[in-house]
Amino acid sequence: MRVLNLLKIATKAIVLNKTRTLLTMLGIIIGVASVIAMLAIGEGSKESIRSTISAMGSNMITVRPGADDSGPARGSGGDVQTLVLEDYEKIKKDADLLNAITPVVNSGGQVINGSNNWPSSIYGVNPDYLSIKVVGLQSGSMFTDAEVKSASKVALIGQTVVDNVFPNGEEPVGQMIRFNNIPFKVIGVLEEKGENTFGQDQDDIVIAPFTTVQKRILAIDYLNQIMASAVSEDDAPAAVEQVTEILRAQHKLLDSEDDDFTVRSMEELISTFSSTSEMLTILLVAVASISLLIGGIGIMNIMYVSVKERTKEIGLRMAVGAKGADILMQFLIEAILISITGGVIGVLLGLGATVFIEEFLNWPTSVALYSIIISFAVCAITGIFFGWYPARKASALDPITALRYE
């Protein structure tokens, strides 16, 4: 029997049992759709994380107090005070792989304008902050180095702060606000950036000279962190090593002693979050793949039923000259057709699900071509694997016994 005839016979058998075939495909359809949707969510989240972090400055480097792996004798960045202004000045002087650097001190509190108030965060920085964080100005100007040295009470505010403390649409630049009862003159409004992937509102911020925040609000003589930008993204790893060496020498750490600070680049942050996202994606895909296994078992069971129902037909074909290999191929093709048809429907359903997720749930998605290819490959393998045994049982039937089967 020719392959074309086998295809016709298999197709006819499927068409004659539409409802049973559709129910058989259901596990495959759900499995393939779930795998594609889960992979699309995983890829979309990784791309979103990378773009969000890159928008914060792809060559940005952060230095925080405290060791990376805190032990019992070491505190984390929130409860140690190992960074001081002299560290910032030393890095600025000796690190030739950096093109901008700023000390950072920050605090939370209330922004007040007349009867309007809003809980926000204030960051004390220097003028390099805007270039490091890749933030533009919507209006006004950045404070100067002279204003940093004199600890001037000037500030820039984000759009969220503007909306809440200037609700009537007043021009903020030139107005006076208070942060924890310390008066500040608004000299600029930051460009709107919206929420990042982690749900943080990037516009809910007040920026002021670090000397002002350090002395007038926090009353401290240490830094919460140091931020810098490497000369280029490719130079970021070397810049991290250079900053680490400078700080170890500055802190007089012995070779046997661990760092009392943590230096990180954006690439490391991207890698960390991407790894976490990949693990979650693998877990979700593994759960979704269970549907494929269930679908395969469904195909095997239905093929067994089909063999039983068509035992006389098998006997008749063998009696007129069909070989066992022809019978094996006939039922195997039928199983593969069911699996691949279910795969096609599953792919279409999966693509539709990704569109729905992105449009209505506002989750970032990205359909990778390999996810569709893998889904089809898995469908074909499922059809062969779970269809082979029933097909082999059919091909091994004795023609005379099969013709007598009731």
Side-chain angles (χ1 to χ4, degrees):
M1 296 175 71
R2 294 179 299 173
V3 174
L4 185 60
N5 285 336
L6 291 174
L7 280 170
K8 288 180 179 178
I9 293 169
T11 303
K12 186 177 180 181
I14 290 172
V15 171
L16 287 173
N17 298 280
K18 299 184 187 71
T19 303
R20 188 171 72 183
T21 301
L22 182 60
L23 292 174
T24 306
M25 292 178 183
L26 199 57
I28 297 293
I29 292 170
I30 294 172
V32 170
S34 300
V35 168
I36 289 177
M38 292 303 102
L39 284 173
I41 292 171
E43 287 296 317
S45 65
K46 282 193 289 184
E47 289 182 11
S48 179
I49 288 168
R50 179 172 287 275
S51 63
T52 299
I53 296 177
S54 294
M56 294 163 56
S58 59
N59 56 344
M60 188 172 75
I61 294 170
T62 58
V63 185
R64 297 179 183 274
D68 183 34
D69 185 14
S70 300
R74 286 181 271 169
S76 64
D79 55 21
V80 293
Q81 303 165 9
T82 57
L83 288 181
V84 293
L85 192 59
E86 287 75 14
D87 295 328
Y88 153 73
E89 291 170 346
K90 185 66 174 176
I91 295 170
K92 184 177 181 179
K93 178 183 175 184
D94 295 347
D96 56 6
L97 292 176
L98 303 178
N99 61 10
I101 182 169
T102 178
V104 180
V105 287
N106 60 278
S107 177
Q110 290 285 327
V111 183
I112 303 168
N113 174 38
S115 61
N116 301 305
N117 66 85
W118 178 252
S120 188
S121 300
I122 189 167
Y123 283 78
V125 295
N126 72 13
D128 283 349
Y129 179 83
L130 295 186
S131 63
I132 294 170
K133 292 284 286 182
V134 195
V135 180
L137 288 175
Q138 184 175 303
S139 61
S141 60
M142 184 61 168
F143 46 79
T144 63
D145 288 323
E147 287 172 315
V148 172
K149 288 179 182 178
S150 63
S152 297
K153 290 182 282 189
V154 292
L156 291 85
I157 57 178
Q159 189 59 48
T160 299
V161 178
V162 173
D163 293 340
N164 285 279
V165 299
F166 295 98
N168 300 320
E170 310 99 301
E171 172 55 52
V173 177
Q175 301 286 335
M176 294 297 295
I177 61 171
R178 284 178 293 151
F179 190 92
N180 287 357
N181 291 323
I182 305 296
F184 285 89
K185 181 180 179 179
V186 178
I187 61 170
V189 176
L190 298 170
E191 193 177 70
E192 192 169 355
K193 297 195 76 172
E195 287 189 355
N196 60 24
T197 305
F198 316 115
Q200 181 182 6
D201 186 355
Q202 300 176 89
D203 302 316
D204 190 4
I205 188 173
V206 178
I207 295 174
F210 75 90
T211 48
T212 309
V213 177
Q214 197 177 40
K215 295 174 183 177
R216 301 181 186 275
I217 294 179
L218 294 173
I220 59 175
D221 59 0
Y222 58 89
L223 305 177
N224 295 130
Q225 63 176 300
I226 297 170
M227 293 175 61
S229 61
V231 174
S232 68
E233 192 171 346
D234 294 335
D235 289 322
V240 168
E241 292 182 11
Q242 187 180 61
V243 170
T244 301
E245 290 173 5
I246 292 170
L247 282 178
R248 284 189 65 85
Q250 178 72 5
H251 291 189
K252 297 180 174 59
L253 296 174
L254 300 176
D255 291 342
S256 59
E257 293 181 303
D258 293 326
D259 298 338
D260 59 356
F261 56 86
T262 302
V263 185
R264 285 284 178 265
S265 67
M266 285 294 101
E267 191 58 40
E268 290 175 287
L269 192 59
I270 290 171
S271 177
T272 300
F273 280 108
S274 294
S275 297
T276 304
S277 178
E278 283 176 5
M279 289 181 65
L280 289 173
T281 302
I282 290 170
L283 178 62
L284 291 171
V285 170
V287 173
S289 298
I290 294 174
S291 295
L292 286 175
L293 178 63
I294 294 170
I297 294 171
I299 289 174
M300 185 169 64
N301 290 336
I302 292 301
M303 293 308 298
Y304 265 125
V305 172
S306 182
V307 169
K308 286 289 184 181
E309 286 180 346
R310 295 156 65 187
T311 300
K312 280 193 174 183
E313 176 192 329
I314 294 168
L316 181 61
R317 284 185 179 161
M318 284 183 166
V320 296
K323 298 178 181 178
D326 297 323
I327 302 299
L328 174 68
M329 189 61 66
Q330 174 190 336
F331 283 93
L332 196 57
I333 288 174
E334 189 173 326
I336 293 171
L337 277 176
I338 291 172
S339 184
I340 290 179
T341 304
V344 172
I345 298 171
V347 168
L348 295 175
L349 185 62
L351 294 176
T354 58
V355 172
F356 176 85
I357 289 168
E358 186 159 10
E359 291 295 325
F360 295 97
L361 300 182
N362 294 320
W363 291 0
T365 60
S366 177
V367 179
L369 180 61
Y370 75 85
S371 66
I372 297 176
I373 295 172
I374 289 174
S375 297
F376 268 108
V378 169
C379 285
I381 293 169
T382 300
I384 293 170
F385 182 79
F386 287 100
W388 179 82
Y389 189 69
R392 186 176 178 278
K393 291 285 285 185
S395 68
L397 288 173
D398 177 69
I400 296 174
T401 305
L403 285 170
R404 290 176 177 174
Y405 180 79
E406 294 295 337

